[in-house]
Amino acid sequence: MERIRIGPEQRLFVLTGAGVSAESGLKTFRDQDGLWEGSRVEDVATPEAWARDAARVWRFYSQRRREARKAEPNAAHRALADMEQALGERFFLCTQNVDDLHERAGSRRLVHMHGELFASRCEFSGAGMGAFACSRGPFQDDSLYETEAAIARCACGGRIRPHIVWFGEMPLKMNRIEREIAQSTTMLVVGTSGAVYPAANFVHWAGAHVRRIYIGPEEPGNADAFSEIVLGKAGEVLPGLVDVD
Ligand code: APR
């Protein structure tokens, strides 16, 4: 496809999903028969799963920590870091991914709306805890927890949980994301099936004047909302795609 020109008054908003890490060897979710790394989502990625069997949840995320440690950023992550270098504050990246491959490629102006694999927090911290909330925030953590007894405890007595937005929980940093979308003139959505909300709606939040481009090997569920669809792998399409004025 021809290069996308970003003029001096223009701003680029990028949304990435699991597909951007596929070429690094990390599996995407929805192409696995409803299973996610051999587990049902309801057994490992919901508040109910945590209440029922926290050790099982931690075994799942411990395994994902192991896999992410072994993975390396690919050409797509690097291309997005290059775009940020060229655009500075006119660039913003929102990822649904919890791996740290964007950071390791050099991205800095990014938010993880679904949390971070290498961070943990007290189970009583965060939104929805009311007056009983624990004030300890998320912290960097690459430990592996395999049994209930091994799960670390907060000073308040709560168990340490993954800093991940599970199904049924509120995505993070939504105010910042909405602000960035409102200011953008080009939106690039890469490697996401367009099935999980609110991220699947971002393309609708962009104004009609915004150029809305999807990149991935197959059409996403919300394909109709884009002004352009580029079928191809992120690592092949993204390098050199953006032309900055
Ligand atoms: N380059 C670009 N896209 C790719 C590539 C690639 N090399 N390989 C696969 N894809 C695309 C697939 O075509 C698919 O549309 O990546 C998409 C992956 O879709 P999902 O597995 O549904 O992942 P995602 O959309 O990121 O899931 C959203 O769901 O489970 C939750 O919280 C989790 O953040 C996740 C959210």
Side-chain angles (χ1 to χ4, degrees), residues 17-19 22-23 28-30 36 96-97 114 167 191-194 196 214-218 232-234:
E23 289 160 80
T28 61
F29 317 120
R30 251 153 286 278
W36 186 0
Q96 298 170 85
N97 299 345
H114 290 163
F167 286 90
T192 172
S193 55
V196 171
Y214 180 81
I215 296 170
E218 61 199 352
K233 290 184 176 177

Side-chain angles (χ1 to χ4, degrees), residues 119-139:
S120 301
R121 68 171 194 260
C122 174
E123 64 182 328
F124 299 132
S125 75
M129 289 294 155
F132 300 104
C134 169
S135 59
R136 185 177 181 193
F139 56 93

Side-chain angles (χ1 to χ4, degrees), residues 16-23 27-32 36 41 45 64 74 76 95-98 113-114 164-167 190-197 199 214-221 232-236:
T16 63
V20 87
S21 294
E23 289 160 80
K27 291 193 192 104
T28 61
F29 317 120
R30 251 153 286 278
D31 52 9
Q32 301 183 75
W36 186 0
V41 163
R64 297 194 64 203
N74 66 51
T95 185
Q96 298 170 85
N97 299 345
V98 298
M113 65 177 292
H114 290 163
I164 299 279
V165 175
W166 288 323
F167 286 90
V190 188
T192 172
S193 55
V196 171
Y197 291 83
Y214 180 81
I215 296 170
E218 61 199 352
E219 288 202 353
K233 290 184 176 177
E236 292 168 9

Side-chain angles (χ1 to χ4, degrees), residues 44-130:
V44 292
T46 62
E48 294 75 22
W50 175 255
R52 213 181 305 124
D53 191 347
R56 178 168 189 185
V57 171
W58 259 125
R59 276 195 297 278
F60 174 75
Y61 285 102
S62 297
Q63 182 56 26
R64 297 194 64 203
R65 284 182 175 180
R66 279 192 202 92
E67 282 154 14
R69 276 183 200 160
K70 281 188 286 179
E72 294 293 338
N74 66 51
H77 298 107
R78 288 193 294 274
L80 291 168
D82 290 346
M83 288 178 207
E84 180 179 330
Q85 275 289 325
L87 285 164
E89 298 203 337
R90 293 187 287 139
F91 174 94
F92 189 77
L93 172 59
C94 171
T95 185
Q96 298 170 85
N97 299 345
V98 298
D99 66 55
D100 59 351
L101 297 178
H102 282 305
E103 288 93 326
R104 282 161 56 195
S107 289
R108 294 294 173 265
R109 285 181 53 79
L110 88 162
V111 295
H112 284 270
M113 65 177 292
H114 290 163
E116 294 172 63
L117 190 53
F118 293 105
S120 301
R121 68 171 194 260
C122 174
E123 64 182 328
F124 299 132
S125 75
M129 289 294 155

Side-chain angles (χ1 to χ4, degrees), residues 1-5 211 213 215 228 230 237 240-243:
M1 109 170 240
E2 67 190 65
R3 301 181 78 195
I4 298 165
R5 190 173 157 272
R211 198 170 164 187
I213 305 158
I215 296 170
E228 289 148 82
V230 185
V237 177
L241 180 67
V242 164
D243 188 10

